[in-house]
């Protein structure tokens, strides 16, 4: 099957020589082709260029006319918790009344509340609820998503979550990577016995997850009030024995040492990073770890934002993701994430587009196949409505600007 998109006003984020990520100053460069065509064959991008150079169109090809419209590679959302049961708007009210995220967690709310809801929800129902969220983010332009476990917190419930993620992988057209996050919180039954819970993760959960090949990565919430650096080290080492590379929740609530321990163990990404100082920046500069910002969580919780401008100016790459979850970011809207990057973190439109495509693809280990318009990459992309410029995307921050979504070369 051949699909050709013609007369594209601007083809955004094109690469002749695919890169695995873009760093520092390069982040403000976005390669585009005006008045372009794009050819898709067998689900992959096979050719693109300026209309003036378009080769003859084969009579069997399906043709889409994109006059006035732009084509972007799909967003890659490299950090979500979108498999969860129910919702937590009651805590949202507590928050409005003035309780902090940590205070809500201490009251038995937060992650433990979601764990209770998940325990009482069947695997089929959990799949159905999660599928709705997947369909929602597909319509919002996301073409690849990482999903974490971490609302199970028992062997069986963690496996239940990961099996739902696998079922979503098997039944939906979006690319999914899955992450085991048993160390999201200490479950109620292990209160005061945190070390025993860490032992359970190491001795039972990780081997079972690996035996069923349910996860691509391992994550730990390494932060004040959650897991310590020492515990994180133990769990990362255990995961690495089974080939699970780390992606860490770090420095959301404090200078937790999470960034340093992530880099030490070769984490693919360290995420959140609201508490990032000179030391953390220096550590990241000497690494292959992608600093990943989740501004939707800082927005929703009314907390500090990470020093994004400073990080790029220091020469770091940045990725951004939605953190879609019921407690700190009940939204998977990557276009809004871009707007937060621009409006609040003072990033340029080019920088945020790089952060939600090629760099977030890197942060989920798929930048060789996703995250840009390049020959041979998976044809996950979207056609916008008629828009004046690519800057209009983060600027018009509540407008629905996506016209057509294409995943694996097929119109969804
Ligand atoms: O990334 N920080 C840890 N975990 C999630 C929140 C999960 C929740 O509150 O349910 C986050 O923000
Ligand atoms: Fe998270």
């Amino acid at each position: 099957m051949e699909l050709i998109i013609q007369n594209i006003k601007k083809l955004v984020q094109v690469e002749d020589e695919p890169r695995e990520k873009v760093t520092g100053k390069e982040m403000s460069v976005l390669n585009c082709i005006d008045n372009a065509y794009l050819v898709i064959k067998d689900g992959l991008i096979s050719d693109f260029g300026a209309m003036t150079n378009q080769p003859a169109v084969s009579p069997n090809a399906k043709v889409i006319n994109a006059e006035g419209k732009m084509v972007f590679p799909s967003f890659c959302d490299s950090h979500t918790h979108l498999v969860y049961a129910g919702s937590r708007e009651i805590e949202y009210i507590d928050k409005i009344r003035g309780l902090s995220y940590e205070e809500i967690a201490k009251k038995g709310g937060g992650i433990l509340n979601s764990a209770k809801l998940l325990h009482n929800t069947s695997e089929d129902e959990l799949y159905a609820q999660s599928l709705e969220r997947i369909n929602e983010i597909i319509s919002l332009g996301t073409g690849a998503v990482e999903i974490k476990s971490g609302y199970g917190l028992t062997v069986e419930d963690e496996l239940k979550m990961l099996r739902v993620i696998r079922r979503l992988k098997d039944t939906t057209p979006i690319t999914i990577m899955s992450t085991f996050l048993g160390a999201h919180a200490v479950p109620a039954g292990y209160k005061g016995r945190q070390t025993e819970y860490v032992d359970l993760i190491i001795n039972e959960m990780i081997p079972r997850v690996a035996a069923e090949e349910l996860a691509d990565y391992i994550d730990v919430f390494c932060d004040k009030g959650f897991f310590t650096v020492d515990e994180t080290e133990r769990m990362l080492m255990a995961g690495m024995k089974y080939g699970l590379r780390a992606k860490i929740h770090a420095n959301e609530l404090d200078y937790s040492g999470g960034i340093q321990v992530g880099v030490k163990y070769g984490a693919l990404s360290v995420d959140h990073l609201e508490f990032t100082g000179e030391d953390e920046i220096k550590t990241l500069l000497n690494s292959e770890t992608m600093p990943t910002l989740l501004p939707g969580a800082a927005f929703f919780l009314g907390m500090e934002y990470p020093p994004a401008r400073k990080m790029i100016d220091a020469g770091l790459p940045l990725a951004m993701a939605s953190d879609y979850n019921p407690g700190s970011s009940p939204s998977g809207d990557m276009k809004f994430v871009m707007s937060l990057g621009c409006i609040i973190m003072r990033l340029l439109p080019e920088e945020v587009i790089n952060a939600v495509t090629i760099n977030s693809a890197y942060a989920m280990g798929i930048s060789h196949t996703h995250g840009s318009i390049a020959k041979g990459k998976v044809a996950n992309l979207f056609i916008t409505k008629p828009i004046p410029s690519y800057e209009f995307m983060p600027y018009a921050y509540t407008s629905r600007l996506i016209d057509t979504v294409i995943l694996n070369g097929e119109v969804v």
Side-chain angles (χ1 to χ4, degrees):
M1 228 312 261
E2 192 169 296
L3 176 66
I4 301 176
I5 311 174
Q6 289 181 334
N7 302 314
I8 304 165
K9 176 171 172 165
K10 204 182 265 291
L11 182 59
V12 178
Q13 184 68 305
V14 296
E15 290 185 314
D16 287 329
E17 305 247 324
R19 304 156 295 176
E20 52 173 11
K21 61 182 172 188
V22 296
T23 297
K25 278 199 179 69
E26 284 168 11
M27 283 197 68
S28 60
V29 180
L30 187 65
N31 296 316
C32 300
I33 302 175
D34 289 335
N35 194 20
Y37 72 92
L38 176 85
V39 184
I40 297 168
K41 252 189 218 152
D42 302 325
L44 303 178
I45 296 168
S46 69
D47 191 19
F48 59 87
M51 278 306 284
T52 44
N53 299 329
Q54 190 189 8
V57 173
S58 92
N60 301 330
K62 181 178 171 193
V63 178
I64 297 178
N65 182 9
E67 213 169 320
K69 303 172 178 181
M70 299 197 178
V71 170
F72 282 69
S74 297
F75 301 127
C76 296
D77 191 350
S78 63
H79 180 137
T80 82
H81 310 248
L82 71 73
V83 169
Y84 59 84
S87 55
R88 306 215 311 257
E89 63 278 10
I90 301 304
E91 292 171 18
Y92 170 68
I93 298 164
D94 282 343
K95 235 171 268 151
I96 293 168
R97 292 214 161 102
L99 290 193
S100 71
Y101 184 74
E102 285 161 290
E103 283 164 341
I104 292 168
K106 279 210 183 102
K107 271 179 60 180
I111 295 165
L112 297 189
N113 192 0
S114 283
K116 212 184 298 163
L117 286 167
L118 186 128
H119 181 71
N120 294 323
T121 302
S122 72
E123 198 168 311
D124 283 346
E125 174 58 23
L126 187 61
Y127 169 78
Q129 291 184 18
S130 307
L131 181 60
E132 266 185 46
R133 295 180 199 117
I134 288 282
N135 288 332
E136 177 199 12
I137 64 169
I138 288 174
S139 73
L140 295 172
T142 298
V145 63
E146 181 257 18
I147 312 173
K148 301 172 193 294
S149 70
Y151 293 124
L153 309 181
T154 65
V155 177
E156 283 315 316
D157 286 346
E158 282 296 305
L159 292 173
K160 174 163 102 179
M161 282 189 83
L162 291 166
R163 288 183 192 127
V164 167
I165 299 172
R166 178 156 68 193
R167 200 162 145 199
L168 293 167
K169 279 192 199 193
D170 292 344
T171 56
T172 64
I174 193 171
T175 302
I176 297 178
M177 300 304 278
S178 102
T179 300
F180 168 63
L181 174 57
H184 198 190
V186 178
Y190 280 83
K191 203 163 181 229
R193 300 187 293 133
Q194 178 147 338
T195 307
E196 284 173 51
Y197 182 60
V198 172
D199 291 340
L200 179 78
I201 289 175
I202 292 172
N203 299 325
E204 288 187 45
M205 290 189 189
I206 292 174
R208 290 281 299 275
V209 169
E212 284 192 45
E213 296 183 18
L214 286 170
D216 302 299
Y217 303 115
I218 182 169
D219 193 345
V220 173
F221 190 5
C222 180
D223 226 321
K224 189 171 86 184
F226 289 85
F227 293 89
T228 65
V229 167
D230 287 350
E231 290 164 344
T232 303
E233 288 205 85
R234 286 185 60 209
M235 290 185 274
L236 295 191
M237 278 195 290
M240 282 164 69
K241 264 194 228 146
Y242 291 94
L244 298 175
R245 194 162 170 199
K247 281 172 66 66
I248 302 289
H249 276 77
N251 298 47
E252 176 185 7
L253 307 171
D254 202 358
Y255 292 96
S256 63
I259 293 177
Q260 287 85 347
V261 72
V263 168
K264 178 172 172 194
Y265 287 90
L268 188 52
S269 72
V270 287
D271 301 23
H272 273 294
L273 317 187
E274 283 78 0
F275 289 83
T276 298
E278 300 300 332
D279 251 23
E280 285 75 14
I281 289 178
K282 213 180 290 158
T283 304
L284 285 163
L285 277 171
N286 296 316
S287 79
E288 292 300 313
T289 299
M290 179 60 71
T292 300
L293 311 186
L294 313 168
F299 171 75
F300 186 78
L301 297 177
M303 287 169 53
E304 282 293 305
Y305 287 79
R309 187 69 274 146
K310 211 168 147 188
M311 293 167 82
I312 293 183
D313 292 346
L316 286 175
L318 282 187
M320 293 199 303
S322 75
D323 200 15
Y324 196 174
N325 77 74
S328 68
S329 183
S331 161
D333 187 341
M334 291 293 278
K335 179 170 162 292
F336 183 58
V337 167
M338 287 199 296
S339 300
L340 290 174
C342 291
I343 297 164
I344 302 190
M345 300 197 296
R346 292 182 45 232
L347 302 181
L348 299 168
E350 293 81 5
E351 291 172 326
V352 296
I353 293 171
N354 277 311
V356 298
T357 56
I358 189 68
N359 281 0
S360 51
Y362 178 92
M364 55 194 289
I366 58 168
S367 65
H368 54 295
T369 49
H370 293 69
S372 68
I373 303 292
K375 284 184 197 170
K377 282 199 176 184
V378 175
N380 283 8
L381 44 98
F382 60 81
I383 307 173
T384 67
K385 294 181 179 161
I387 53 172
S389 62
Y390 61 67
E391 290 91 339
F392 194 78
M393 287 292 277
Y395 158 84
Y397 73 100
T398 57
S399 301
R400 293 284 164 241
L401 299 178
I402 293 174
D403 189 43
T404 307
V405 170
I406 294 175
L407 295 178
N408 308 304
E410 311 240 336
V411 175
V412 178

